[in-house]
Amino acid sequence: GRVLLVTGALLSPTRRALVDDLAKVLPGLRHVACEPLAPAGAIESSIESFGEIILPRLRFDRADVIASFGSDFLGSEPSAPVAIREFSSRRRVRQRADSMNRLWVVEGNMTVTGANADHRLAVSPSASAALAFALARALNQKHGIALPAGLDPAFLGEFEPAKIAGLLGIPRSLLDALASDLAKAGRNALVLAGRMMPAPLHTACALLNRMLG
């Protein structure tokens, strides 16, 4: 007879192999992956930007500077156990040459991640994309970091950093400091958006990561 197997997303090759082996034993097996809390914003942004669904594996242990936009990666996010281990590994200094990471958090309501931030900016989720695009403009115009090929600088025209900082009620000096931190870290910077954040914010974060290398 027919058998319907419903699981969450299978990211592990071992688990996928187990389902394949089960299908050999049960020829009528149909496997369906169901994720009720799938990151709709990230998926929509990925399809618009790349034409397919690409959800990156974030490596907090390799990041010198982390800018988190509405992502409670140390608290409520599903990947929190791995993120906590990797993030905390860069908060311990064992030798004189070791350096700690720095965490910037942009969020509306306080989260566990926000409580652990070195710098926290209170910004509503609906306005966070504007801040992220303003950072992209600052990286390009002030720090000389190139935009991806094919992206017209006019796209960022409305996201003038001083204007966005004023609209959001945050000090311009903090926006400049965050941009400088990201620029200095370069490819060792990590920018991420929360799973449930809107697609424009995921697009802005992807742009920042691509600019930073």
Side-chain angles (χ1 to χ4, degrees):
R2 296 183 178 181
V3 178
L4 177 63
L5 174 63
V6 181
T7 70
L10 299 181
L11 303 180
S12 164
T14 300
R15 292 185 179 182
R16 288 199 295 267
L18 286 173
V19 172
D20 291 341
D21 289 342
L22 187 59
K24 295 175 183 177
V25 177
L26 300 172
L29 178 71
R30 180 186 176 192
H31 173 235
V32 175
C34 179
E35 286 288 339
L37 297 179
I43 291 174
E44 179 183 343
S45 172
S46 179
I47 293 175
E48 289 183 355
S49 300
F50 308 110
E52 60 181 325
I53 299 175
I54 300 176
L55 300 179
R57 161 70 167 95
L58 305 177
R59 294 299 302 264
F60 295 96
D61 55 331
R62 298 179 181 178
D64 293 334
V65 175
I66 301 168
S68 170
F69 288 78
S71 173
D72 188 20
F73 66 86
L74 296 177
S76 61
E77 294 280 356
S79 58
V82 174
I84 291 171
R85 183 177 67 250
E86 293 183 351
F87 175 79
S88 61
S89 72
R90 294 295 310 277
R91 302 295 270 190
R92 295 189 293 267
V93 177
R94 297 185 177 87
Q95 303 177 16
R96 181 171 297 181
D98 292 344
S99 60
M100 288 179 59
N101 58 19
R102 187 154 45 253
L103 173 60
W104 292 78
V105 171
V106 179
E107 63 183 10
N109 298 323
M110 177 65 78
T111 65
V112 173
T113 303
N116 284 275
D118 298 296
H119 305 279
R120 180 180 180 274
L121 304 179
V123 177
S124 68
S126 61
S128 294
L131 176 58
F133 282 124
L135 286 169
R137 177 167 167 169
L139 290 176
N140 176 241
Q141 296 188 345
K142 186 175 181 179
H143 297 278
I145 297 178
L147 295 171
L151 180 61
D152 188 344
F155 172 78
L156 299 174
E158 63 181 293
F159 302 107
E160 202 282 318
K163 173 186 174 183
I164 297 300
L167 290 173
L168 299 182
I170 61 176
R172 167 68 188 273
S173 59
L174 275 181
L175 191 154
D176 289 341
L178 174 52
S180 296
D181 242 9
L182 292 173
K184 182 178 179 180
R187 64 184 305 157
N188 292 321
L190 173 62
V191 184
L192 68 151
R195 286 167 55 88
M196 307 311 292
M197 292 297 103
L201 177 56
H202 283 275
T203 299
C205 289
L207 170 61
L208 287 168
N209 283 320
R210 187 170 179 184
M211 292 176 67
L212 293 165

